[in-house]
Amino acid sequence: MSRHLTGDELEPILQGNLPFPRTQEVVWHLRSHCEPCRAILVAQSEPDTANHDLFSLAGTLMKGSRHFRREAPLAKKVTTLLSKGGGLHTVCTQGDLPLRGLGMYQALLERSWSVRHDNVKEMIHLAQAAVVVARRLDKRHYRPRLIADFQARAWCELGNAHRAADNLGEAEHAFATAFDFFLQGTDNRHLKARLNQAYASFLGTRRQFEPAFAALDVVCSIYIGFGNHHLIGRTLLAKAIYMHYSGQPGKALVLNSVGRALIDVCQDPALDLQAALNKMWFLVACGRFREAKKELIRNREALEKIEARVVFVKLRWLQGQVFAGLGDWDQAESALLEAKEGFESLELGLAAALASMDLALLWMRQHRLTECEHLVEETYQVFVSLNIHREAIGAFQVLNKAREKRMMTIPLLASVVEYLHRAQHNPDIPFVPKWT
């Protein structure tokens, strides 16, 4: 069989439905930068999509370029003020700048995005201000449809900010408003991709996986039309995560492999490392611990350079699960204890509780029953205090009653631990206890 990608294989491979041996052939072939195969990705797009958007974008830039040149210094000044801290108060008082103009709009959205990992409240506040500025844009400089685009983008980023803060009701309203403005706009494909990408994240947070997949397929088709392999790959990596969350780690592995084959590592090395980490998580979810260990060894040099505390703690949790799956009790215990304590220091209660349950199962398999029972009782109280969904509490109650009656078994504990891991991303799945 030829290793080249064929047109009728494109949809199955992007959906994760192509048989694994064939997928593996295509992935490795794409890694060789075969231009004919990559051209197939572009050829499958909608006719003239890319050219239409280029002409549309060029027209917009030509019409507003003179005005935008006047706005650029304002954008730079606002960006500088915001980077010093103090938020909008600093801009309005020290900078004596009104909430108006495209430069202000651009600076607000850029700063909102840049603080997403550090200050979600500020992220929301700045996006809200961008919504106000978009509404005030001067119709003498921008056509109504273009203003609608600016409003759609601002509402999209506000929706994404609310999603990051778990304000899902506000996020839903913001995304609905964003799509309404998009329909009034220029049908800009870049904007459509961003809208659907952010909305997919919202749907994934809501555990509405099928609509999330559909939204990401829209994004993927747009980037195929642009011929941008890196963005196609990035979208597939995102889809792989939601495929995993939906309980399909095997398909997630396929999509993750295809995505990594398409991304430009030099352009975004952090994305490639995240894809490597995700692959290990997917392998663990599939019970393929030996392969996961090989990946840990293969990526050791890059993993040792991780500085972000939360990422490092998650890595130790992953290592603990791999060692436990391979029966390396000592290394598993060391890694899981470190992960548990690390999550507690970061005040990530649910992750700490899940790591505790992994540790309890490890001790149960070592016949350290007393230590296991104490940890299960302690973790049960944590789960109750976290007010997690009813099905998970029910699963824990079954386990706790068995513990109280001295009837807790390894299969029962293992079934609870497996369920809790899956339910953190998909709470709608039912719990089925295994006693033997």
Side-chain angles (χ1 to χ4, degrees):
M1 180 182 291
S2 170
R3 297 178 67 192
H4 290 284
L5 175 65
T6 63
D8 59 359
E9 287 180 318
L10 179 62
E11 184 174 349
I13 201 170
L14 296 184
Q15 296 290 338
N17 291 327
L18 199 68
F20 180 73
R22 178 59 182 150
T23 300
Q24 199 170 35
E25 280 187 335
V26 172
V27 166
W28 284 107
H29 192 60
L30 286 171
R31 282 186 179 276
S32 70
H33 302 286
C34 173
E35 288 307 318
C37 283
R38 292 188 177 219
I40 288 175
L41 295 171
V42 180
Q44 295 291 318
S45 65
E46 297 177 15
D48 298 327
T49 293
N51 287 337
H52 169 78
D53 283 302
L54 285 173
F55 284 121
S56 174
L57 181 61
T60 297
L61 290 176
M62 287 173 65
K63 183 175 181 180
S65 60
R66 189 174 301 172
H67 174 70
F68 183 75
R69 281 198 296 270
R70 292 198 298 268
E71 290 288 314
L74 173 62
K76 185 175 181 179
K77 183 176 182 180
V78 175
T79 298
T80 301
L81 287 169
L82 288 172
S83 66
K84 293 179 179 179
L88 281 177
H89 178 74
T90 300
V91 173
C92 296
T93 55
Q94 295 182 21
D96 192 26
L97 298 172
L99 284 176
R100 290 187 180 278
L102 188 61
M104 174 69 74
Y105 169 89
Q106 180 184 356
L108 290 171
L109 287 185
E110 287 181 357
R111 180 61 180 173
S112 176
W113 177 255
S114 70
V115 299
R116 66 192 183 279
H117 296 309
D118 306 310
N119 192 336
V120 177
K121 288 184 179 179
E122 183 70 3
M123 182 187 184
I124 293 172
H125 187 51
L126 292 170
Q128 287 172 330
V131 166
V132 173
V133 174
R135 187 171 65 242
R136 295 174 176 174
L137 286 173
D138 196 332
K139 294 180 181 179
R140 292 174 298 176
H141 300 298
Y142 310 103
R143 352 187 262 281
R145 292 179 67 193
L146 191 56
I147 291 176
D149 281 356
F150 289 132
Q151 289 178 300
R153 179 61 189 270
W155 278 101
C156 169
E157 299 308 326
L158 179 58
N160 191 50
H162 278 306
R163 175 203 60 81
D166 288 327
N167 303 328
L168 300 187
E170 290 89 340
E172 186 170 27
H173 169 71
F175 280 119
T177 306
F179 278 105
D180 282 344
F181 276 118
F182 176 78
L183 294 175
Q184 301 170 39
T186 65
D187 194 31
N188 184 283
R189 304 288 283 178
H190 293 279
L191 177 59
K192 186 176 183 179
R194 175 57 190 154
L195 265 172
N196 279 277
Q197 185 180 50
Y199 190 54
S201 296
F202 166 73
L203 291 169
T205 302
R206 292 280 294 264
R207 280 83 177 183
Q208 296 175 346
F209 296 115
E210 290 304 321
F213 296 151
L216 288 173
D217 286 342
V218 170
V219 178
C220 205
S221 68
I222 292 171
Y223 290 149
I224 288 173
F226 293 157
N228 192 317
H229 306 126
H230 178 75
L231 294 181
I232 297 168
R234 191 181 70 181
T235 305
L236 291 177
L237 292 178
K239 187 174 181 180
I241 294 171
Y242 294 125
M243 196 68 76
H244 169 58
Y245 289 169
S246 70
Q248 303 176 78
K251 285 189 175 183
L253 276 168
V254 172
L255 292 174
N256 197 72
S257 294
V258 177
R260 285 190 77 189
L262 292 170
I263 63 171
D264 183 344
V265 179
C266 296
Q267 182 177 335
D268 195 346
L271 181 62
D272 184 64
L273 179 58
Q274 186 58 57
L277 283 167
N278 289 342
K279 180 180 181 179
M280 295 176 224
W281 282 111
F282 303 157
L283 286 169
V284 168
C286 291
R288 293 158 61 176
F289 300 108
R290 291 191 184 281
E291 293 173 71
K293 184 178 180 180
K294 288 179 181 178
E295 288 296 318
L296 283 168
I297 294 171
R298 184 177 294 119
N299 293 279
R300 177 180 293 167
E301 185 176 343
L303 295 174
E304 287 176 348
K305 296 178 181 178
I306 291 175
E307 295 181 357
R309 175 65 175 161
V310 66
V311 179
F312 176 78
V313 173
K314 286 181 178 179
L315 175 61
R316 289 298 284 156
W317 188 20
L318 172 67
Q319 291 171 329
Q321 292 180 53
V322 171
F323 291 135
L326 294 174
D328 189 341
W329 307 131
D330 290 341
Q331 289 205 68
E333 181 174 4
S334 175
L336 290 174
L337 278 170
E338 188 174 345
K340 174 180 178 294
E341 292 166 358
F343 285 133
E344 288 171 348
S345 68
L346 291 167
E347 298 183 356
L348 297 173
L350 179 58
L354 290 170
S356 295
M357 290 303 294
D358 288 330
L359 185 60
L361 180 58
L362 177 70
W363 284 343
M364 186 76 170
R365 285 175 171 155
Q366 292 178 284
H367 308 291
R368 295 160 63 177
L369 185 58
T370 301
E371 291 169 278
C372 173
E373 287 183 335
H374 284 317
L375 187 54
V376 167
E377 182 179 11
E378 172 189 311
T379 310
Y380 172 65
Q381 299 303 325
V382 173
F383 268 93
V384 171
S385 68
L386 290 172
N387 195 29
I388 58 173
H389 60 94
R390 185 172 59 186
E391 190 78 11
I393 292 294
F396 229 120
Q397 287 175 338
V398 171
L399 180 65
N400 202 42
K401 287 179 181 178
R403 178 193 61 79
E404 291 172 349
K405 295 179 180 179
R406 310 288 290 183
M407 294 175 60
M408 189 168 66
T409 63
I410 292 177
L412 176 61
L413 179 55
S415 67
V416 172
V417 172
E418 180 186 1
Y419 171 77
L420 292 174
H421 274 283
R422 292 181 60 199
Q424 66 172 317
H425 305 300
N426 190 0
D428 294 330
I429 59 174
F431 169 61
V432 181
K434 296 179 182 178
W435 299 94
T436 58

